[in-house]
Amino acid sequence: MSTLAADNALILQQAADWLAAGKPVVLATVIGTWGSAPRPVGSLMAIAGDGAMAGSVSGGCIEGAVALQAEKVMQEGEPRLLSFGISNDMAWEVGLACGGKLEIYLEPVT
């Protein structure tokens, strides 16, 4: 089993545990990357209604923004597509080592 698959299995198990405990859960999935991206397509992050998180979609760069959008998905019950990106030139200007873009799909889990 690949590392990504093993990591995702653990994240999905955590999401299932949260659901079994009666907590709402949103699953965030990296569905596209362009340029430099810290996590590959297929990476998962689960967000529980109490703010707990498991997994990563960006290595820490945008998890907070994803968690905020996950709250809206929990409230509305509708999935969302998120896009994040910065040009390589801009990345160096602001002190970030990686540029690139990524798309993340958020969906409520029931």
Side-chain angles (χ1 to χ4, degrees):
M1 182 181 297
S2 72
T3 302
L4 179 62
D7 290 347
N8 284 351
L10 292 172
I11 294 161
L12 292 171
Q13 182 59 57
Q14 181 62 70
D17 292 347
W18 288 332
L19 284 171
K23 298 177 184 179
V25 176
V26 168
L27 190 61
T29 306
V30 176
I31 62 168
T33 64
W34 296 267
S36 177
R39 302 286 298 147
V41 169
S43 296
L44 298 176
M45 183 171 88
I47 304 100
D50 63 2
M53 294 184 280
S56 175
V57 291
S58 75
C61 302
I62 60 166
E63 269 71 5
V66 172
L68 288 173
Q69 290 298 313
E71 288 180 30
K72 293 180 182 179
V73 170
M74 284 179 217
Q75 293 167 358
E76 299 167 3
E78 295 294 325
R80 288 179 181 234
L81 180 62
L82 307 177
S83 295
F84 297 92
I86 187 167
S87 70
N88 287 333
D89 290 339
M90 177 72 77
W92 286 107
E93 286 176 26
V94 298
L96 298 173
C98 66
K101 297 179 183 178
L102 67 152
E103 284 191 335
I104 299 172
Y105 183 72
L106 293 177
E107 60 187 321
V109 180
T110 56

